[in-house]
Amino acid sequence: MDFSERLQKAVERGRQHGEVAVRQQRQSQLTEEESRALHARARVELSDHIEACLQHVAHEFPGFDFQTVMTPEGFGAKISRDNVRGRSGALTRQYSHLELIIRSYSTTRILDVVCRGAIANKEVLQRSQFQQLAELDLDTFRHLVDQWVLEYAEKYAASER
């Protein structure tokens, strides 16, 4: 067998290896239906965790109202409160809230969590984290939710006077 025949066989083997790799990659990717199902399961599990965390904060700081959030934007929970404070003879309304939302499923096939918080009419917290569904790690999201809620609680406690 001369060099050109060996070259042709090497090229053919390389192409076959490439095709096998592409087939394996396609098989490892989630189908649309699998992605939707995974997103739904993750959303339910993470929503439960968000609700539990926010209910703890509402219990720690009486006056906060808890509410489950279900909007076209996404699902999650929110705590909020209105305070009326008097300064220099004038009453002012001060609104505080913390909201964590898991954005609705999209064709980008990601799990996206958004956190927004305000204390006394001032935004103090705005965070976002996403992860590809094929690489989803819910423990990472639980840890982030805990971290964001604790950060808000600390800032809120510092603002109480």
Side-chain angles (χ1 to χ4, degrees):
M1 188 175 336
D2 69 353
F3 178 76
S4 13
E5 290 173 339
R6 290 191 324 219
L7 175 63
Q8 289 302 317
K9 288 187 183 232
V11 168
E12 186 60 34
R13 281 192 310 270
R15 288 184 179 146
Q16 288 174 353
H17 288 296
E19 289 172 7
V20 167
V22 167
R23 269 195 306 266
Q24 287 174 340
Q25 183 181 9
R26 284 183 187 151
Q27 288 174 350
S28 69
Q29 291 177 343
L30 299 173
T31 67
E32 182 72 15
E33 186 176 312
E34 290 169 332
S35 293
R36 284 183 184 278
L38 179 57
H39 186 276
R41 284 191 309 273
R43 184 189 72 223
V44 167
E45 192 172 326
L46 200 52
S47 290
D48 290 346
H49 184 72
I50 289 169
E51 288 179 8
C53 289
L54 292 184
Q55 286 175 342
H56 281 293
V57 174
H59 187 328
E60 183 67 31
F61 299 108
F64 272 99
D65 294 322
F66 173 85
Q67 150 183 37
T68 299
V69 175
M70 289 188 283
T71 66
E73 181 184 341
F75 303 86
K78 175 181 181 176
I79 55 173
S80 61
R81 72 184 287 164
D82 278 320
N83 291 335
V84 179
R85 299 198 183 193
R87 288 196 177 138
S88 306
L91 294 177
T92 60
R93 176 180 174 249
Q94 294 183 330
Y95 179 70
S96 299
H97 77 277
L98 178 61
E99 177 179 56
L100 283 102
I101 301 292
I102 303 159
R103 293 207 174 152
S104 298
Y105 179 80
S106 71
T107 56
T108 56
R109 296 184 182 185
I110 61 173
L111 185 71
D112 187 11
V113 180
V114 178
C115 173
R116 292 183 282 260
I119 298 172
N121 299 335
K122 294 179 186 169
E123 185 176 303
V124 297
L125 194 65
Q126 181 154 1
R127 306 279 188 273
S128 178
Q129 180 71 28
F130 69 90
Q131 198 172 67
Q132 294 291 325
L133 288 172
E135 302 163 3
L136 187 60
D137 178 10
L138 279 180
D139 287 335
T140 299
F141 280 101
R142 281 189 211 93
H143 177 73
L144 281 171
V145 166
D146 291 351
Q147 183 180 339
W148 295 341
V149 171
L150 293 172
E151 183 179 348
Y152 180 84
E154 186 175 333
K155 288 180 181 193
Y156 189 83
S159 75
E160 288 187 321
R161 295 177 215 127

